[in-house]
Amino acid sequence: MSNEWNYHTLTPEEESIEQVLAQELAINTSIANLLVQRGIDTVEKAKKFFRPQLTDLYDPFLMKDMDKAVDRLNKAMGKKEKILIYGDYDVDGTTAVSLVYKFLRTFYTSLDYYIPDRYDEGYGISKKGIDYATENGITLIIALDCGIKAIEKIAYAKEQGIDFIICDHHMPDDELPVAVAILDPKRRDASYPYQHLSGCGVGFKFMQGFAINNGLDIHTHLLPLLDLVAVSIASDIVPITDENRIMAYHGLKQLNNNPSLGLQGIIDLCGLRDKDITISDIVFKIGPRINASGRMMCGKEAVDLLTAKDWQTAKAKSENINQYNENRKELDKKITEEATAIIDNLEGFENRKSIVIYNENWHKGVIGIVASRLTELHYRPAVVLTLSNGLATGSARSVQGFDVYKAIESCRDIIENFGGHTYAAGLSLKVENIPMFMERFEKFVTDNILPVQMVPQHEIDAVIGFKDITPKFFKVLKQLNPFGPGNPKPVFCTKRVFDFGTSRLVGRDQEHLKLELVDSHSENIMNGIAFGMHEHNEYIKGFNPFDICYTIEENNYNGNSSIQLLIKDIKPSDD
């Protein structure tokens, strides 16, 4: 599949702002260009972007119901009520439960936490969880990363004399649960300045409000828990902008300098000790291991790890979770191969705009990953379903720019329940409704997806020459971290580059290209790596001109650091 290259250009007005920023900040115009593209149009905004300050976090009491939530928690602690911290089994949910539990246990002992079993109870608030609370004399449940749609379950809890405080970040329906407080920046009547907090981020704001109300030292008790917030922001793929950028920036500092024992255990197993941990490391190394607990066994073990008080416990739990992740990878590979075989045999698949497949024997814990792989492979929205508790239960993933949540919502009359975000959602429906769902989901996608959304896109921020890639340029570029949604890692293009004569194939199967390149405007020799692009070798070795799009990385080898281009795509140059 050929990739489209989209070049970002500035308007004349934006070009004027670019020049002002470059001059006032003494930075390369290409860096100023990147700032303007990210909506940073003043020197003051640029300074805040480069140096995120914790003092710029919003007042938590701007969030609807924050005063009610804090009052109810104060009342519970004052009356020595039993409190249950309840959360989803994914990374966002388990980090949120861990953060609230770790913060509150400093001041209060009548606490417990609960993570529903993915296979026995499913997503969100469960009747079994409420019954557990009733049996143990719990009168207040703090729900994290779930609860906004649990209308019947929370009504059931109220009948048992149990109050709920909901801390969620998912889209609510028109009707809200009968909770004493609902903290969700996506509420239709919300006035909070930032909508895109993670579930753990909402939990952090709740604890911030509680700390302010009670005159507690936030620097001592709460800010050290920002490592958990950073892990949730990266893993839940929420925008790293505004307040999320501040929390991710300082959370990464905590993760690198003084992580909790549980996170240190995972860091060691990932081979990241003494390395500069980035958002990418969380997404591809730390997050999947935490997730593996809920996928393969029970998410509660992830909370056991993240709240560990001694190194021996943290080490043992992290080793368990690492093994779950190894098992998960094997299962993921097997099911992906089976799913691919189904698609290869689907009649007329090439004319369809979506993927919906079902196998009652697939492992529920990995179907979300399989959906992601199918989306990457075929570049169209994908829904993967399996059988769980008598229902077809599945995960959906989407392509850039297409709202898969809305596609599922359009079928809500034949769905038992659903929830999620623009690019990732979950659902369950009766098995007999799968053919109808497949047809209606396909129709919605066909009617709403744009042709450009079904082709892999490379968004190119700027066209530069090798002469621009100086140590100073790279130093300033790194200050744009942390990268992620809303602040993607900049992609550059250099046109008409040539092999220096020393490029070669590398890898076990000679599938990668190790490049040494020059361009026509400087004598700089740039090193690059192009994974899986062996098919370009013959053209490159013929000293033909070609264009590259790439990100700029730091390559550390044997204690030496150098700049390396990570090639995303290669195209022959136009004559």
Side-chain angles (χ1 to χ4, degrees), residues 343-368:
I343 290 170
D344 289 344
N345 291 305
L346 280 178
E347 187 176 342
F349 175 73
E350 64 277 3
N351 298 319
R352 296 184 68 83
K353 299 292 195 295
S354 69
I355 297 168
V356 179
I357 55 175
Y358 168 70
N359 183 317
E360 66 176 24
N361 297 314
W362 283 340
H363 195 287
K364 185 181 175 184
V366 299
I367 54 176

Side-chain angles (χ1 to χ4, degrees), residues 497-505 514-518 525-526 537 540-544 546:
V497 303
F498 297 85
D499 177 25
F500 183 63
T502 49
S503 297
R504 65 191 188 279
L505 290 169
K514 181 76 175 70
L515 301 169
E516 291 188 352
L517 305 173
V518 292
I525 301 168
M526 294 303 305
N537 185 55
I540 289 170
K541 297 306 289 183
F543 293 98
N544 296 300
F546 56 99

